[in-house]
Amino acid sequence: MKRLLSMLLALTLCLSLAACGSKDQPSGGEGTSQPQSETSSQNSGSTESKENSKNVEHPYEEFPELEGVVRVNQTAAEYCADAPFALVKRNRTSFKVETASYAVIYDQYLERSSDEYYDVDLKNITKAEDVLENMKKQTAACLESILHRADEYTVRIDSKENVTVNGWEMCKQKGAIELTHQFPLPYESADFVAYSLIKDGYPIYIMVIDKPDGTDRIDIEEMADKIAKTFREYED
């Protein structure tokens, strides 16, 4: 009986580590969010550019307030980018980090899912500025569990700016998610700032979305700018 209880306790501990994103946990083809090293989490307000064997051409920056890292290891998308928290959840094709006042989604083209379910045609996506415009249906699906429940979510892009971030050719986009419903909603739109790019022939974007009814609101543009500067090659 004691041996059985010991085995159950050990199993419980293992499952707890997996849910929290243990540093020793392999990615296994999924996106994970894990705490950064003690050195990076104890940095002062200034940023630190880093280079390693996989990121010589694209040095990236670290920010103390971005304590997690999202690792995406898919057939059509391999990359890392830092996150505000160390716990990330799978959300349809994307991965998300969510708070009461904002959310961050890390989304990318996935073979079969993107084209079959969300009508994403890679032939129409040749530049970074094409990504979000041609993935609106996929983005809308990701927003269902983030914003207030609505009948429809429409991605409205108000501005585009092509930028180079640590060697990556990206497009910075600002706009709003418009919500429509047969009944009145607490809010009808939610602002966003997104960065998109094409890596190894496949589109990727990271979007920070404001929650109008949330508490402790933040500057979503500042958050998006920082996360974009942490984008880098996939690393274990």
Side-chain angles (χ1 to χ4, degrees), residues 198-213:
I198 297 176
K199 181 180 182 296
D200 301 327
Y202 295 102
I204 298 169
Y205 70 89
I206 299 172
M207 177 183 287
V208 182
I209 309 126
D210 180 50
K211 291 185 177 181
D213 59 349

Side-chain angles (χ1 to χ4, degrees), residues 97-158:
V97 176
E98 188 173 9
T99 74
S101 61
Y102 71 96
V104 187
I105 59 175
Y106 303 75
D107 198 15
Q108 53 278 315
Y109 176 89
L110 293 184
E111 293 180 339
R112 293 186 297 276
S113 296
S114 294
D115 47 10
E116 292 181 12
Y117 297 113
Y118 305 116
D119 303 323
V120 179
D121 189 347
L122 287 179
K123 294 193 297 294
N124 296 328
I125 305 176
T126 60
K127 304 181 296 295
E129 62 186 78
D130 299 332
V131 173
L132 201 55
E133 190 71 46
N134 288 276
M135 296 183 72
K136 287 182 175 180
K137 186 175 180 180
Q138 181 168 314
T139 303
C142 295
L143 296 169
E144 292 177 358
S145 64
I146 294 175
L147 298 176
H148 198 280
R149 184 178 295 277
D151 293 331
E152 186 176 355
Y153 303 87
T154 303
V155 181
R156 188 190 76 223
I157 302 173
D158 296 331

Side-chain angles (χ1 to χ4, degrees), residues 22-61:
S22 167
K23 280 188 177 182
D24 296 329
Q25 178 188 2
S27 58
E30 296 291 336
T32 60
S33 178
Q34 302 173 354
Q36 296 190 27
S37 66
E38 292 183 5
T39 302
S40 65
S41 65
Q42 293 174 358
N43 283 342
S44 62
S46 61
T47 63
E48 176 186 356
S49 295
K50 295 188 64 177
E51 294 188 14
N52 57 39
S53 59
K54 292 186 178 181
N55 289 289
V56 174
E57 294 183 7
H58 302 286
Y60 60 93
E61 298 177 39

